[in-house]
């Protein structure tokens, strides 16, 4: 029971963190690293579940794209 | 990139695809719920919730099987390509159907539990050390989470944002989800009283998915061997490897320098490849840096034009340049270094028709 409760709690906090990352990414990040998203807002809600689920990967790619942005021709 | 994202890119073909998919799923669920009770043991009638749980669960399993068969089928026979066309919607719907199945399970078995139903689901059986009575629910949860991630990352944005290698690696986890689902069924529903239909269904699914992937793997290995042999035999005959077709941009050329310092320009245009000498007949201008228009190359120096297929200037002009023979083996472009007499017509290599 304790393990199950711990796992559920862990999942809950993981999704809370995902919610924060989602807000930051959709408000700030997406326009900085994805030119095709500029001016497109209707599709953004579709990204919410994906960002919440794989937010560590989103943060990693965001950081990589920010770093390489200046090096693009 | 100038194309802006839209929520869902629909066109007539995709709408037809989705409509057929929805009708097929609705039909399957209706037939299952309507007729499955006739095959049940009359001494142990099943309730409506369990029936719907099984209908949605088996539907998701069959959909997952079809999704995994579409790729190899399309590689074995191009007539299956239309099924590949909108597979992402198929995947999203599968995740949805699996979620309904999970919701019925939670609602039926854990709704009246004194503890939180998710906690109850994870803690009701923790005998992970045994095969019989294994907590198969955990395998279903694992598969469902993977299906959720794949459905949630199916928009074009994710392919661009994650990059093709990472996106593809992530989506290859569909095979892990399938393995989890097979084990979920094998250690769950198949452990109950003998059900020949379900047993046959699961066996057929595994045989089909594994068989098709095995057949495709053999076919591709044989094709790669054939390509390697063809390439080696052409190279033995003196042909040179000019590079990969992807290295050449549309309406541009790749310039290859041969052993005798002769330079050859290989052009990609209108889904074709043609090779001509890089030197213009007028003042040796670099044709490989010229512009392709209507199948003709224009020399960047003085505007002399040549038809790429035969190296002849359009009438009334009479200039001619050497052409070269090309072959496409897989995605590799091979060039016969022997220049053909100026003005010799060489049938362009059509892309997508490689050996």
């Amino acid at each position: 029971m304790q393990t199950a409760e711990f796992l559920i709690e862990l999942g809950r906090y993981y999704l809370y963190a995902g919610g924060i990352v989602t807000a930051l990414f959709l408000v700030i990040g997406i326009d900085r690293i994805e030119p095709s998203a500029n001016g497109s807002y209707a599709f953004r809600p579709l990204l919410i579940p994906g960002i919440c689920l794989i937010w560590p990967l989103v943060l990693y790619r965001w950081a990589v794209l920010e770093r390489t942005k200046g090096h693009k021709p | 990139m100038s194309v802006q994202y839209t929520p869902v890119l629909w066109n007539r073909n995709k709408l037809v695809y989705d409509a057929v998919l929805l009708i097929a799923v609705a039909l399957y669920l209706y037939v299952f719920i309507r007729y499955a009770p006739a095959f049940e043991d009359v001494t142990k009638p099943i309730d409506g919730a369990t029936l719907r749980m099984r209908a949605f669960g088996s539907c998701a399993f069959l959909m997952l099987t079809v999704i995994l068969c579409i790729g190899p089928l399309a590689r074995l026979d191009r007539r299956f390509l239309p099924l590949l066309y909108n597979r992402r919607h198929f995947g999203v719907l599968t995740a949805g159907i699996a979620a309904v199945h999970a919701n019925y399970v939670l609602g039926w078995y854990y709704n009246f539990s004194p503890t939180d139903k998710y906690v109850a689901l994870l803690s009701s059986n923790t005998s992970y050390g045994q095969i019989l009575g294994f907590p198969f629910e955990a395998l279903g949860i694992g598969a469902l989470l993977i299906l959720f991630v794949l459905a949630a990352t199916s928009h074009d944005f994710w392919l661009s944002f994650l990059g093709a290698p990472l996106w593809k690696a992530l989506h290859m986890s569909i095979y892990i989800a399938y393995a989890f689902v097979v084990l979920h069924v094998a250690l769950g529903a198949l452990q109950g009283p003998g059900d020949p239909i379900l047993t046959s269904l699961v066996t057929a699914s595994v045989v089909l998915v594994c068989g098709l992937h095995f057949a495709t793997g053999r076919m591709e290995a044989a094709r790669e061997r054939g390509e390697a042999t063809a390439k080696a035999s052409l190279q033995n005959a003196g042909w040179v490897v000019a590079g990969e077709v992807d290295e050449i941009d549309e309406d541009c050329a790749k310039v290859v320098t041969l052993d005798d310092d002769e330079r050859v320009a290989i052009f990609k245009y209108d889904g074709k490849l043609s090779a001509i000498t890089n030197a213009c007949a007028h003042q040796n201008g670099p044709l490989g840096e010229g512009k392709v228009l209507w199948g003709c190359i224009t020399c960047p120096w003085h505007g002399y034009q040549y038809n790429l297929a035969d190296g002849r200037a359009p009438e009334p002009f009479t200039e001619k340049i050497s052409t070269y023979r090309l072959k496409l083996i897989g995605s590799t472009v091979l060039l016969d270094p022997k220049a053909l007499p100026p003005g010799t017509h060489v049938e362009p290599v059509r892309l997508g028709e490689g050996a």
Side-chain angles (χ1 to χ4, degrees):
Chain A
M1 181 77 84
Q2 276 179 342
T3 312
E5 281 169 351
F6 171 73
L7 286 173
I8 298 293
E9 279 298 294
L10 199 68
R12 183 171 290 139
Y13 286 112
Y14 179 88
L15 290 178
Y16 286 157
I20 295 166
V21 174
T22 302
L24 288 173
F25 183 72
L26 290 185
V27 174
I28 303 165
I30 193 166
D31 289 316
R32 292 173 57 86
I33 50 90
E34 184 58 65
S36 298
N38 292 339
S40 294
Y41 298 99
F43 86 102
R44 296 187 189 199
L46 285 183
L47 307 182
I48 295 171
I51 303 171
C52 285
L53 286 169
I54 58 164
W55 62 264
L57 202 55
V58 171
L59 284 178
Y60 164 72
R61 282 298 295 169
W62 184 358
V64 168
L65 291 171
E66 285 280 359
R67 269 203 307 274
T68 56
K69 203 167 59 171
H71 302 298
K72 280 187 181 170
Chain B
M1 207 188 277
S2 59
V3 180
Q4 288 196 327
Y5 291 121
T6 51
V8 185
L9 210 59
W10 259 308
N11 56 34
R12 192 178 169 277
N13 287 336
K14 286 188 178 183
L15 284 170
V16 170
Y17 190 108
D18 289 352
V20 170
L21 191 60
L22 283 171
I23 291 167
V25 168
L27 207 62
Y28 175 84
L29 294 172
Y30 172 76
V31 168
F32 191 103
I33 291 166
R34 177 85 174 75
Y35 296 104
F39 296 92
E40 293 293 332
D41 184 350
V42 286
T43 60
K44 295 173 190 162
I46 57 169
D47 54 87
T50 308
L51 192 61
R52 286 190 288 278
M53 194 188 303
R54 289 182 186 176
F56 279 90
S58 60
C59 185
F61 177 64
L62 286 175
M63 290 173 80
L64 196 53
T65 302
V66 175
I67 286 172
L68 289 177
C69 289
I70 289 174
L73 278 174
R75 286 202 288 278
L76 288 168
D77 189 331
R78 294 177 66 82
R79 282 175 295 183
F80 287 101
L81 272 174
L83 291 176
L84 196 65
Y85 183 58
N86 202 20
R87 193 169 50 168
R88 73 176 76 183
H89 288 192
F90 206 143
V92 172
L93 187 61
T94 304
I97 297 284
V100 176
H101 163 74
N103 195 46
Y104 274 122
V105 173
L106 278 172
W108 182 242
Y109 292 110
Y110 301 100
N111 231 11
F112 301 105
S113 164
T115 52
D116 177 83
K117 58 184 174 182
Y118 296 102
V119 174
L121 171 67
L122 289 178
S123 59
S124 57
N125 179 5
T126 53
S127 310
Y128 288 96
Q130 59 189 46
I131 297 286
L132 282 177
F134 185 88
F136 63 94
E137 298 88 348
L139 294 161
I141 295 168
L144 191 61
L145 282 175
I146 293 174
L147 290 180
F148 277 166
V149 169
L150 301 194
T153 56
S154 62
H155 193 275
D156 279 344
F157 163 82
W158 289 101
L159 178 59
S160 165
F161 172 63
L162 295 177
L166 187 55
W167 187 86
K168 188 148 191 202
L170 184 69
H171 280 247
M172 288 299 275
S173 61
I174 185 90
Y175 290 101
I176 300 173
Y178 179 70
F180 279 178
V181 170
V182 169
L183 289 171
H184 173 69
V185 179
L187 298 172
L190 292 187
Q191 296 297 321
D195 182 346
I197 297 176
L198 185 62
T199 309
S200 314
L201 204 70
V202 175
T203 311
S205 163
V206 173
V207 169
L208 196 65
V209 170
C210 294
L212 280 172
H213 281 78
F214 181 68
T216 314
R218 272 177 68 98
M219 186 193 76
E220 286 179 348
R223 194 177 62 206
E224 276 166 22
R225 277 198 303 275
E227 285 173 6
T229 311
K231 212 157 97 176
S233 104
L234 282 171
Q235 282 178 286
N236 284 341
W239 289 57
V240 294
V241 174
E244 295 296 302
V245 71
D246 294 342
E247 293 170 20
I248 313 173
D249 291 330
E250 187 65 24
D251 290 335
C252 289
K254 173 175 181 164
V255 177
V256 179
T257 305
L258 300 174
D259 287 342
D260 54 2
D261 283 340
E262 178 69 28
R263 285 159 73 81
V264 179
I266 302 170
F267 285 90
K268 188 200 268 185
Y269 62 104
D270 302 335
K272 295 181 284 190
L273 292 175
S274 285
I276 54 168
T277 175
N278 192 48
C280 178
H282 175 225
Q283 284 186 357
N284 290 337
L287 293 175
E289 294 169 25
K291 189 173 175 149
V292 179
L293 209 60
W294 298 310
C296 282
I297 174 66
T298 305
C299 180
W301 281 6
H302 304 103
Y304 277 63
Q305 288 191 310
Y306 303 94
N307 195 318
L308 285 169
D310 57 16
R312 291 169 184 259
E315 290 183 349
F317 303 102
T318 54
E319 288 79 9
K320 287 186 261 181
I321 51 170
S322 297
T323 51
Y324 290 81
R325 290 191 298 157
L326 288 176
K327 271 196 193 295
L328 187 63
I329 307 289
S331 61
T332 307
V333 183
L334 285 111
L335 167 76
D336 183 353
K338 290 192 283 291
L340 297 167
T344 305
H345 178 86
V346 178
E347 195 56 37
V349 170
R350 293 195 179 274
L351 297 175
E353 294 178 9

